[in-house]
Amino acid sequence: GTTHSAQAGITFPVQRTKQLCKLVSPSGNGRTSTEAPVALAAISEKLTDILVRGASGCATRDGRSRIQPGDVF
């Protein structure tokens, strides 16, 4: 079988996101929609991509090949 992440075409773990969604469920019963963890994982992946690309650009402009914490801010 294929993973939920592979089916959605993303790298971030959908199952782990689903577990976290169940923990913080506002209704308190741990029930969420099936699309919620997939969407949350996809959004998290996109935001991480944007953040790392920006930090990488800062490091490259400074002549470095590694990202430092200051590059993120």
Side-chain angles (χ1 to χ4, degrees):
T2 58
T3 64
H4 293 288
S5 296
Q7 289 174 358
I10 58 177
T11 306
F12 269 46
V14 173
Q15 280 302 116
R16 184 170 295 166
T17 307
K18 182 178 180 180
Q19 291 171 354
L20 290 172
C21 284
K22 284 185 172 194
L23 283 175
V24 297
S25 173
S27 61
N29 60 8
R31 296 178 67 175
T32 59
S33 71
T34 56
E35 295 89 8
V38 177
L40 188 57
I43 291 168
S44 299
E45 183 174 323
K46 182 62 179 176
L47 288 174
T48 302
D49 179 55
I50 292 168
L51 185 73
V52 170
R53 283 181 192 255
S56 175
C58 287
T60 303
R61 278 195 302 275
D62 292 344
R64 293 180 282 111
S65 59
R66 292 189 180 187
I67 297 172
Q68 295 178 345
D71 297 330
V72 176
F73 303 109

